[in-house]
Amino acid sequence: MADQPLHVSGPQWNALEAHPEDTDNTALRSRLINLIGETVQSWGLRQVQAASVLGLTQPRLSNLIRGRADRFSLDALIGLAKRAGLTVRIEVSRTAG
């Protein structure tokens, strides 16, 4: 699942943000936070230990595991993904039309 490209578009994301240009950012942050959270939970560590591995405090990791994407910037999540051993690739292309 993590190897599949993430395509963000559609009305479900447009409804979440007041400005359409923010929808991709929200979708990307949500996807990253889910993948990082799943990875961290697979380690089987206590939150304090996992937080230390990621360079976070335990309360900050708790926000991540609870899916609080609004508490993390896209830049911060990319850094956390790398520290969690995930590979992040960004692909940019022109929109048809």
Side-chain angles (χ1 to χ4, degrees):
M1 181 174 195
D3 293 326
Q4 297 298 316
L6 173 63
H7 300 286
V8 289
S9 63
Q12 72 276 21
W13 295 111
N14 293 340
L16 294 175
E17 297 291 342
H19 303 287
E21 60 272 10
D22 294 335
T23 59
D24 288 346
N25 187 288
T26 299
L28 289 169
R29 285 186 297 125
S30 295
R31 180 71 173 134
L32 275 170
I33 208 163
N34 288 333
L35 288 171
I36 296 164
E38 289 171 7
T39 299
V40 168
Q41 289 181 330
S42 76
W43 294 343
L45 299 175
R46 297 174 86 62
Q47 277 195 10
V48 172
Q49 295 166 315
S52 177
V53 171
L54 294 174
L56 297 174
T57 62
Q58 184 278 326
R60 189 100 165 112
L61 177 61
S62 180
N63 281 330
L64 187 142
I65 292 193
R66 288 183 302 174
R68 299 296 309 264
D70 59 314
R71 306 275 175 130
F72 296 88
S73 69
L74 187 53
D75 288 347
L77 289 169
I78 289 170
L80 289 171
K82 290 185 64 127
R83 287 194 292 273
L86 299 171
T87 300
V88 177
R89 285 175 275 169
I90 297 173
E91 181 180 316
V92 178
S93 60
R94 295 188 187 276
T95 303

